[in-house]
Amino acid sequence: MVTVVSRTGKPLMPTTEYKARKLLKKGRAEIFCRHPFTIRILDRNDGNTQPIEYKSDTGYLHVGISICSDKHEYVSEQRDLLADETEKYNDRCKYRRARRNRKRYRIARFDNRRASKKPGWLAPSLKNRVERQTDLFRKYASVIPITQATFEMGMFDTQLLKALAEGKPIPEGIDYQHGEQYGMETLRAAVFTRDGYKCIICGRGIPDKAILHEHHIGFWKGDRTSRPGNLATVCEKCHTPKNHKPGGKLYGLEPKLKTLGAATYMTAVRFMMLNSLRVMRPDITFHIQYGAKTKLSRKELKISKSHANDAYAIGQMHPQHRTDTRYYRKRRRNNRILEKFYDARYIDVRDGQKKTGSQLGCNRTNRREPRISEKNERIYRGEKISKGRRTIRTRHYKIQPGTMLRINGHLETAKGIHCNGSRVMTVSGKSIAVKNVTVKQYSGGWILAG
């Protein structure tokens, strides 16, 4: 599918790639934009259009999009958003706070920022997801004559969902005021009390003189939320850096309850996002559909469960002619990691294998702990094979991951830059000098994943 606009920029009905190539070859059209690929007809100012519906499965991490008319489905996509937005924002606050402490003393400004929150304020992580949903709609609505749009949104009772997942009675009345931390001064005390002040790995507790720690169960897959269901009690012998790595006792554990971040997100932003879309395009009719209706519609259409199929099942238009689904993932444009550290390597005197310094570390989580303990594995470091080193990135490179390159007449996708910017690594595993490649198309905010 190739989107089309008139000479004056008015969206017209999409066309096929074959017709678009013919128009470009004859000089009747020119390239208008590449995301999505759009041509501009040079000899037409207007044209007839048909009703087209934009349908979106507005998920927390995955967004399904389907754009249909009565006869054709023009777009079928799944867009995967960034999963670590909250963690990145917290890191940014940490870096700014550390930099502020290194400078001369200045009066704190956090009270001013709190007072400046206006009605409708959203947390940066939620605001980012709303903006991505809005940007996708704006991009397609600018080149496709969309007449109506349907978004799957809902309002969820998180307390009820949590009770059903735990097999507890349905909350009523005062139960909504008694959360998991009710009666406890701190979240830490609530987690320790729930686990009986015992380590969930080895069972050691206070009578065994164990030092207890809070552990984020889903750290290994990026889930670092501090909800009680993602926290567990572990002792100092189990809560070591070695056990946090693949093969360790803490790696691969699953929280008993899944995160309800998606339900909370949709409850918080659904009307705000809908109102912003209506203000942006007052000429388009907007509708809301709940997930229960989408499920019934998907069963009637006899299609499998997926984000793109959910988007297709939403709304009123369900043409028989469907297009192939394309998968995109969001690319982080700015890499704030300017320095990388490569650990030293040693020979393990126990088995003679080469291991890094972190693998043969002291396994302490606090510098106040003595290194002389049964967890210390530094004593097994033998001959030093290589020293530890660090590399510092001092400039920004034009070729980024996802950039399309022309190499010896064929196209390749860049994976990254190495050798101080003199060579480029491709997805196929080739390392080629930058002077021997030609940039075909720079990578945008989205990368084609499949």
Side-chain angles (χ1 to χ4, degrees):
M1 187 274 299
V2 177
T3 54
V4 182
V5 296
S6 67
R7 187 168 65 90
T8 58
K10 179 183 177 181
L12 302 177
M13 294 301 294
T15 186
T16 62
E17 297 179 358
Y18 172 78
K19 291 182 179 179
R21 284 195 299 268
K22 290 291 186 181
L23 292 172
L24 291 171
K25 188 174 181 180
K26 293 180 179 179
R28 293 184 56 198
E30 63 180 6
I31 297 177
F32 181 71
C33 68
R34 295 186 179 272
H35 300 287
F37 188 82
T38 307
I39 62 173
R40 174 161 53 191
I41 304 296
L42 301 177
D43 55 1
R44 291 182 61 183
N45 295 333
D46 202 350
N48 297 326
T49 59
Q50 303 171 10
I52 294 181
E53 184 178 19
Y54 178 94
K55 301 179 288 185
S56 175
D57 177 20
T58 53
Y60 181 68
L61 292 176
H62 310 285
V63 181
I65 298 175
S66 178
I67 303 178
C68 301
S69 66
D70 288 332
K71 295 183 179 180
H72 303 283
E73 182 186 33
Y74 299 111
V75 176
S76 177
E77 293 179 350
Q78 176 179 321
R79 303 269 182 160
D80 298 335
L81 305 178
L82 296 174
D84 56 350
E85 280 297 295
T86 303
E87 182 182 353
K88 295 299 183 182
Y89 283 119
N90 292 338
D91 289 343
R92 184 180 66 178
C93 293
K94 180 180 65 176
Y95 296 148
R96 288 180 175 177
R97 189 179 301 113
R99 181 177 181 273
R100 187 182 187 85
N101 292 335
R102 290 195 300 268
K103 297 173 70 68
R104 69 184 189 280
Y105 175 75
R106 292 181 293 178
I107 300 175
R109 299 187 302 173
F110 53 83
D111 287 335
N112 299 341
R113 288 196 291 271
R114 289 176 182 172
S116 64
K117 291 181 181 177
K118 300 178 181 179
W121 177 88
L122 281 177
S125 57
L126 298 183
K127 184 179 179 182
N128 174 71
R129 300 183 188 283
V130 173
E131 289 176 348
R132 298 292 77 74
Q133 303 266 10
T134 307
D135 290 344
L136 290 172
F137 173 78
R138 182 191 297 111
K139 179 177 65 174
Y140 281 114
S142 63
V143 294
I144 299 178
I146 296 174
T147 56
Q148 61 181 359
T150 306
F151 292 82
E152 184 185 273
M153 300 179 181
M155 189 171 184
F156 301 91
D157 187 345
T158 55
Q159 292 284 69
L160 176 60
L161 294 176
K162 191 181 300 181
L164 294 176
E166 294 178 346
K168 296 182 179 180
I170 296 177
E172 297 179 358
I174 198 172
D175 294 337
Y176 283 96
Q177 302 174 14
H178 295 173
E180 296 173 291
Q181 197 177 328
Y182 180 76
M184 299 292 173
E185 295 183 357
T186 62
L187 179 60
R188 177 188 178 91
V191 174
F192 287 173
T193 303
R194 182 199 63 193
D195 296 337
Y197 284 87
K198 291 184 179 180
C199 176
I200 65 170
I201 302 298
C202 63
R204 295 175 66 240
I206 300 299
D208 304 316
K209 298 182 180 180
I211 301 175
L212 302 180
H213 299 273
E214 285 178 290
H215 170 66
H216 289 78
I217 300 175
F219 77 95
W220 56 277
K221 57 180 182 180
D223 185 4
R224 294 175 174 84
T225 56
S226 295
R227 67 184 193 280
N230 195 41
L231 297 175
T233 305
V234 294
C235 66
E236 82 283 1
K237 292 186 177 180
C238 297
H239 199 246
T240 62
K242 185 177 181 180
N243 285 336
H244 281 73
K245 297 177 181 178
K249 298 178 181 179
L250 302 177
Y251 195 89
L253 297 179
E254 289 283 353
K256 295 181 180 179
L257 296 177
K258 295 182 179 180
T259 177
L260 298 177
T264 306
Y265 156 77
M266 186 51 61
T267 303
V269 308
R270 60 177 188 147
F271 287 120
M272 184 179 298
M273 182 169 65
L274 186 64
N275 291 334
S276 64
L277 291 173
R278 285 173 175 168
V279 172
M280 181 197 311
R281 293 298 301 267
D283 57 320
I284 297 178
T285 305
F286 291 91
H287 304 280
I288 290 180
Q289 181 167 313
Y290 292 96
K293 185 176 180 181
T294 303
K295 183 177 180 180
L296 293 176
S297 178
R298 191 179 65 247
K299 288 184 177 180
E300 292 177 358
L301 295 170
K302 297 181 180 180
I303 55 179
S304 60
K305 167 69 176 176
S306 70
H307 297 285
N309 286 343
D310 280 353
Y312 172 76
I314 294 171
Q316 303 174 2
M317 298 182 181
H318 309 293
Q320 301 233 347
H321 177 268
R322 297 198 61 187
T323 185
D324 296 334
T325 303
R326 308 192 78 178
Y327 299 87
Y328 296 88
R329 61 180 177 85
K330 191 73 175 68
R331 185 181 73 88
R332 189 172 298 283
R333 290 177 180 268
N334 297 318
N335 182 8
R336 298 179 182 272
I337 301 177
L338 303 180
E339 179 179 348
K340 286 187 178 181
F341 175 73
Y342 297 88
D343 205 350
R345 301 180 67 85
Y346 300 86
I347 296 292
D348 191 342
V349 297
R350 295 171 294 181
D351 52 15
Q353 295 183 358
K354 297 179 182 179
K355 295 183 180 180
T356 61
S358 61
Q359 291 175 320
L360 298 175
C362 57
N363 285 318
R364 61 179 182 175
T365 57
N366 195 319
R367 290 193 176 187
R368 291 176 293 181
E369 298 179 21
R371 283 184 177 176
I372 305 174
S373 66
E374 58 184 13
K375 300 187 300 182
N376 187 17
E377 295 188 359
R378 292 173 65 94
I379 58 177
Y380 302 117
R381 291 183 180 182
E383 181 185 357
K384 193 172 187 178
I385 303 300
S386 61
K387 294 182 178 180
R389 61 186 179 89
R390 60 178 185 148
T391 59
I392 299 177
R393 179 164 57 89
T394 59
R395 60 193 179 95
H396 180 80
Y397 301 108
K398 292 184 178 180
I399 298 178
Q400 296 289 321
T403 301
M404 292 186 62
L405 307 172
R406 185 178 295 278
I407 305 172
N408 297 330
H410 62 277
L411 297 178
E412 291 274 359
T413 304
K415 184 179 180 181
I417 290 288
H418 65 120
C419 295
N420 294 324
S422 61
R423 303 188 69 85
V424 58
M425 180 68 71
T426 64
V427 174
S428 59
K430 301 178 182 178
S431 177
I432 304 171
V434 173
K435 62 182 180 180
N436 296 332
V437 304
T438 304
V439 176
K440 176 66 175 178
Q441 181 179 339
Y442 288 104
S443 59
W446 299 92
I447 297 179
L448 187 64

